[in-house]
Amino acid sequence: MRIWKFVGAGGWLALGLSMAAYAQPAADARPQTDPGPSASPEAGSPEARSPKAGSPRAGSQEAGPAEPEAGPPILPLGTSLGESCAPEKLFRATVRNISPGLPASARAAQPRQMWRQGQIYFRSEEQPDPVRGDQSVAIVAEPDIWMVNLATREARHTVDPGPELVVRAPILPVGADMPATFRGLEFGCEPDFVARHAPQPERTVPWGAAQATLHTVTSGEHSIAFLMDLRRERPLMVSYQRGGRPVMVLRYDDYRRGLPDRPDLFAPPRNFRIIPAGEGPPPRPLPVDP
């Protein structure tokens, strides 16, 4: 079992709302609201181990933005990811990290698209790298995993050693000290998480031409805030803070559940050079974001 995560820097929902111009088309009106209670949620990156992916962290009014994380954390052996998520029908989302302090030009701030279905399928696509031209795609059909470079038409194939051959895509940066409830927050099941843990909205705020509801879940020093589309009941923004320090703000550019099956999304790429694990030169390191 592996875990894919979004790598990102921090912020809280009140800050995220004030950045609506950054997060919405210019034609949309910015949501107006006073700073909310401790907000609780790169978007981190849709990367999951065999997908187990994504992740945010938390913030405070007095602390400045947290530094962007360098990469996925190592999950201690035996750490449970809590409630499982396995969308029965195809799920698709486009997410980006709009955390305060993260430059809009950074790789972590670029939109990333993902698909999930059932317990074993996951796909994540990054934007093309503006410097090298590489474009990374992760395809998982447990236990098979392909790390694809669309620019070079190569795909590195590995096999998940298990023992749990299921896809997990946690949104938050999972750690041993995180509440078990929070570990169960995954891409594709956000509305279900809100319905279970924060069904009553704290207030309604404008979001462009639509209305959004604010929902907050708090456990000890951890807090997640969700901005949900009132009519469509889908996430618009998720913010996470921990111990009074901002960790992450994610904006959803697109969110669809119940889509028609697309088995081709989770199949190995055709007419690509498939490189078995351990063969060929190591992949080139990613450039460091400023």
Side-chain angles (χ1 to χ4, degrees):
M1 171 171 124
R2 302 182 181 179
I3 294 184
W4 304 84
K5 80 176 269 292
F6 282 100
V7 182
W12 34 303
L13 189 59
L15 288 177
L17 288 172
S18 70
M19 299 171 66
Y22 189 118
Q24 294 180 255
D28 288 350
R30 294 195 239 174
Q32 300 296 323
T33 180
D34 48 6
S38 288
S40 1
E42 185 142 77
S45 59
E47 299 174 350
R49 261 181 0 183
S50 280
K52 300 163 188 184
S55 6
R57 287 184 188 170
S60 129
Q61 300 176 357
E62 299 177 356
E67 289 298 318
E69 297 173 13
I74 301 301
L75 187 65
L77 292 177
T79 301
S80 169
L81 289 180
E83 303 164 352
S84 63
C85 168
E88 181 179 354
K89 301 295 290 183
L90 182 64
F91 157 76
R92 182 189 73 206
T94 302
V95 189
R96 69 174 71 204
N97 186 343
I98 61 166
S99 301
L102 183 66
S105 60
R107 280 180 61 90
Q110 305 314 305
R112 192 179 293 231
Q113 197 166 25
M114 74 183 81
W115 295 259
R116 285 189 74 178
Q117 186 168 8
Q119 291 186 315
I120 66 172
Y121 296 113
F122 177 90
R123 181 186 179 102
S124 165
E125 290 190 10
E126 296 184 2
Q127 296 296 306
D129 184 284
V131 177
R132 299 189 316 200
D134 293 346
Q135 184 172 7
S136 299
V137 177
I139 302 173
V140 179
E142 286 283 10
D144 293 296
I145 304 168
W146 293 272
M147 301 304 298
V148 181
N149 187 331
L150 297 183
T152 62
R153 300 188 66 80
E154 294 180 339
R156 294 179 177 272
H157 174 249
T158 59
V159 177
D160 189 343
E164 184 185 15
L165 299 178
V166 298
V167 166
R168 300 297 298 268
I171 296 177
L172 306 185
V174 178
D177 62 340
M178 174 174 283
T181 298
F182 283 29
R183 296 176 198 159
L185 175 59
E186 297 190 37
F187 288 106
C189 295
E190 297 92 331
D192 307 303
F193 186 93
V194 171
R196 275 195 304 270
H197 303 291
Q200 298 303 318
E202 296 182 14
R203 62 181 179 273
T204 301
V205 298
W207 182 263
Q211 294 288 310
T213 53
L214 175 65
H215 305 255
T216 304
V217 182
T218 301
S219 179
E221 66 174 1
H222 304 265
S223 184
I224 314 172
F226 299 85
L227 202 60
M228 304 291 291
D229 187 300
L230 179 60
R231 182 172 64 88
R232 298 179 181 176
E233 297 183 343
R234 65 181 183 89
L236 299 169
M237 192 178 295
V238 177
S239 175
Y240 171 51
Q241 60 178 356
R242 174 182 175 184
R245 288 191 56 81
V247 177
M248 188 172 196
V249 177
L250 302 182
R251 166 198 166 185
Y252 290 79
D253 292 344
D254 178 56
Y255 191 94
R256 305 288 179 88
R257 299 203 295 179
L259 297 174
D261 292 350
R262 288 277 310 278
D264 57 300
L265 288 171
F266 311 108
R270 297 182 179 180
N271 302 319
F272 272 56
R273 179 191 174 202
I274 305 297
I275 305 174
E279 295 185 12
R284 292 181 293 176
L286 294 174
V288 177
D289 291 328

